[in-house]
Amino acid sequence: MNLFNVYPLYDIEPVKAKGSYLWDKNGQEYLDLYGGHAVISIGHSHPYYVEKLTTQLNNIGFYSNSVKIPIQEELATKLGELSGYEDYALFLCNSGAEANENALKTASFFNGRKKVVAFTKAFHGRTAGAVAVTDNKAIVAPVNYSEHVTFLPFNDIEALEQGVTDETCAVIVEGIQGVGGIQVASEAFLKAARAICDKTGAALILDSVQCGYGRSGKFFSHQYADVHPDLITTAKGMGNGFPIGGVLISPKFQAKFGMLGTTFGGNHLACAAAVAVLDVMKQENLIENASKMGGYLMSNLQQIQGIKELRGRGLMIGIEFEQPVDEIRDTLLFKHHIFCGYAGKHTLRLLPSLALGQTECDRFLEALQSVLK
């Protein structure tokens, strides 16, 4: 049997990782400024993380949600404390797409509606409900029912006020669009979304799968706007590589048995990974570091000729160029051995570990200047 060939692959085989670095099978070192799509939040192979997972696996790795799993409660408590959402409840699942699916279901159960407002260039996942609110027709199959979804212009308050009605179930928006090019939702736009949802009875869902978990310099990027969503979705950086996702659910929603469910969500190993991430984030002040290092990168990038626009917050940075970015990205990778991402044809995307240091920043800045000369 062969693998189903849906991924274009670089001819690179990483075999070891530590902190912000990878090594391939030939011993070549790479600086990782992409973190496997914003997944590596506290650094590769952090010793505390490895110890937590190893200890947990030696005790019990998995059992179902039909029994008590105290580490789930530990995770919920620590997540509430660090994020500032102690009065919310947590539903655990396995991925960002699953988190968005369950957020949409929770909203629909609550108000009995089915119409959803999403935004241009949005990406919320590839499962049926999540891909229906994703603005990319190429990945929406005919079976993915989407007639209930309206796409409005991102950051357009007037369109938002006209497009959300008393029939709207939910408004789902990324605090910072990742795949869409590191487009930051303005504070005014998020405040307007909160107000129109309050007025119409729609639920406000903040997709924080990529822009959450400290990446922006706050725990959730929407906290810059001082808004409280009804539902917050998270995944990627939550487990530092171990698959886990979650929905933070406002006290306005009442749970009932069977309303939501999952086989693997909240398993012992996943929770051990997520608890370790929160512990390290707190102990090493990684949210503050993301803000500091993000500011350092932004201020230095502003001095580099050849950059059209800079966007982002903290360590979620988009660098837009006039020319297509593929040659820049590939030169950084194969000549300078630096992993970066991209978003669209013209934007380089940086999503490094929140533990990134100034040494790594300087190595990237020097390499980028060299490439652009």
Side-chain angles (χ1 to χ4, degrees), residues 203-223:
L204 178 60
I205 303 172
L206 256 294
D207 179 341
S208 299
V209 169
Q210 188 171 136
C211 62
Y213 252 78
R215 180 154 297 281
S216 68
K218 289 188 180 289
F219 198 94
F220 293 118
S221 65
H222 64 258
Q223 290 172 314

Side-chain angles (χ1 to χ4, degrees), residues 204-281:
L204 178 60
I205 303 172
L206 256 294
D207 179 341
S208 299
V209 169
Q210 188 171 136
C211 62
Y213 252 78
R215 180 154 297 281
S216 68
K218 289 188 180 289
F219 198 94
F220 293 118
S221 65
H222 64 258
Q223 290 172 314
Y224 282 99
D226 194 28
V227 298
H228 287 77
D230 299 303
L231 299 138
I232 306 165
T233 57
T234 183
K236 293 193 183 294
M238 190 175 184
N240 201 53
F242 200 101
I244 185 170
V247 187
L248 282 70
I249 302 172
S250 163
K252 71 191 284 183
F253 300 97
Q254 290 295 117
K256 63 179 181 180
F257 292 151
M259 175 180 169
L260 305 175
T262 171
T263 296
F264 297 106
N267 67 75
H268 296 78
L269 269 179
C271 287
V275 167
V277 166
L278 290 171
D279 286 347
V280 172
M281 286 176 66

Side-chain angles (χ1 to χ4, degrees), residues 19-20 32 35 40-44 215 289 315 351-356:
S20 292
D32 183 12
I40 301 302
S41 50
I42 63 171
H44 293 281
R215 180 154 297 281
N289 188 69
L315 288 175
L351 300 165
S353 158
L354 308 187
L356 188 74

Side-chain angles (χ1 to χ4, degrees), residues 11 55 101 136 162 211 214 252 303 306 335 362:
D11 188 19
T55 300
E101 293 275 345
N136 182 352
Q162 293 177 357
C211 62
K252 71 191 284 183
Q303 311 304 317
K335 182 179 179 180
D362 289 339

